[in-house]
Amino acid sequence: MQPPSTLPNWDDLRFLATIGREGTLAATARRLGVDQTTVARRLRALEEALGTPLFERHDGRWHPTPIGTRVLERCGRIEDEVAGVVRVADAGTQAVSGLVRITAVSALIGDYLAGELASLYTLHPELSVELIASNDNLSVSRREADIAIRLARPASGDFLIRKLADVGFAIYGAARGDLPVRPGDWVAYNPDLDHTPEMRQLAAMLGDGRIRLRSNSLRGLARAVADGIGQGILPCFLAAPDPRLARLSGPQPVLSRELWMLIHPDARQQARVAATADWLVQRFEAAAGVFSGTP
């Protein structure tokens, strides 16, 4: 390639940063809402503008070259700054209106937050909410989400954080299963989640037992427990209201995890985000017993 003769297109940097995170052109196209041809064209244009290859393709994925890695580091900072400009501008309006994006694990979205939204809309009828059910760490810095709810306190990052609840977990079995279940039969997360406290607890208890089903879906695991496939360590807020499930462990949870809310400091200045954050705190405080799983 020839040495760069012009400055790169700023928007092409957005494509570059997304390729770096997603690893494939197809995933990048889905994330940005365009087709793969557009992604490939933008990447070529940027490489020609900069005069150097930025990615190499191996095993079906795009890996940054050494120069590409350095460029990606700067792209990340540019993304954060651009998102910051938008947040500063948004902070100028005091109207509680517009869109707020909240990301959390799918069980929390589907089994709690979605059912509580009517009270938020009653308070703020001009507000719109996008609930993003995802186990991925969507970035509040890049405005992929305005508010993130996580089952662990972040170890680093420029966030405003607040503890929302203690989430209790207990051992559940089928209240009336369709299959014969041995005491040592279990359901569990997929192996990539073996690091979680729930799976470490199960590993300590498993002994000669067997795991009959693995899944990354908590709702799927709860259904499997209800059908009698095996016992499971499930969050009490999800399992306790389900008449198909019976709590097999004692009145105290077998383990507890902390639930944290993350907001970028600039986003907290936006009226719509501040109002939504305050509502979240109130709703989780009201449901403290449901989440803790204690009598």
Side-chain angles (χ1 to χ4, degrees):
M1 290 188 178
Q2 297 297 318
S5 57
T6 60
L7 291 174
N9 185 320
W10 285 98
D11 196 48
D12 289 340
L13 297 176
R14 178 170 62 98
F15 280 76
L16 180 70
T18 308
I19 296 170
R21 286 191 296 273
E22 299 293 336
T24 68
L25 299 187
T28 299
R30 286 193 298 271
R31 173 70 70 179
L32 297 177
V34 298
D35 56 47
Q36 292 187 53
T37 302
T38 300
V39 177
R41 176 172 53 80
R42 291 295 193 101
L43 176 59
R44 286 196 303 270
L46 185 57
E47 289 180 327
E48 290 175 1
L50 294 176
T52 184
L54 299 173
F55 283 92
E56 298 174 336
R57 194 166 184 268
H58 303 294
D59 301 323
R61 294 187 63 83
W62 292 80
H63 302 273
T65 64
I67 292 296
T69 298
R70 295 170 62 186
V71 172
L72 282 172
E73 291 174 356
R74 303 213 172 207
C75 282
R77 294 198 291 270
I78 291 172
E79 279 189 307
D80 291 346
E81 289 299 324
V82 170
V85 169
V86 176
R87 284 192 293 266
V88 169
D90 283 348
T93 175
Q94 297 304 308
V96 182
S97 62
L99 177 65
V100 177
R101 299 180 181 89
I102 305 172
T103 181
V105 295
S106 58
L108 189 61
I109 293 286
D111 290 275
Y112 183 66
L113 287 178
E116 296 293 313
L117 282 178
S119 64
L120 177 62
Y121 292 138
T122 298
L123 290 171
H124 306 293
E126 299 303 315
L127 201 62
S128 299
V129 174
E130 181 178 341
L131 295 178
I132 307 169
S134 174
N135 294 323
D136 298 330
N137 286 323
L138 299 183
S139 173
V140 297
S141 297
R142 293 189 298 270
R143 300 186 78 242
E144 293 175 331
D146 298 301
I147 299 173
I149 301 175
R150 298 280 177 255
L151 273 167
R153 179 170 182 159
S156 62
D158 184 19
F159 307 115
L160 296 176
I161 63 173
R162 175 161 181 166
K163 183 179 174 181
L164 290 177
D166 290 306
V167 181
F169 289 74
I171 300 171
Y172 288 87
R176 187 182 63 198
D178 297 329
L179 298 173
V181 182
R182 302 185 314 184
D185 288 345
W186 292 88
V187 303
Y189 296 154
N190 286 341
D192 61 328
L193 294 174
D194 281 348
H195 64 280
T196 63
E198 305 96 289
M199 293 303 96
R200 292 200 301 268
Q201 177 74 27
L202 176 55
M205 300 166 49
L206 188 61
D208 295 329
R210 60 174 179 164
I211 296 176
R212 300 188 71 193
L213 171 70
R214 285 185 178 271
S215 173
N216 65 353
S217 166
L218 264 174
R219 174 49 61 192
L221 291 179
R223 174 63 185 269
V225 172
D227 288 344
I229 292 175
Q231 304 170 90
I233 299 177
L234 301 174
C236 298
F237 79 86
L238 181 152
D242 192 333
R244 302 171 304 165
L245 298 172
R247 185 162 172 167
L248 305 180
S249 51
Q252 296 300 319
V254 296
L255 66 94
S256 183
R257 298 184 64 179
E258 294 178 337
L259 196 66
W260 292 85
M261 178 172 64
L262 285 62
I263 308 174
H264 192 281
D266 292 341
R268 189 63 173 82
Q269 304 304 312
Q270 299 168 9
R272 64 178 181 272
V273 175
T276 304
D278 291 343
W279 171 80
L280 283 168
V281 170
Q282 185 272 325
R283 299 313 299 167
F284 278 98
E285 286 180 346
V290 173
F291 278 91
S292 67
T294 54

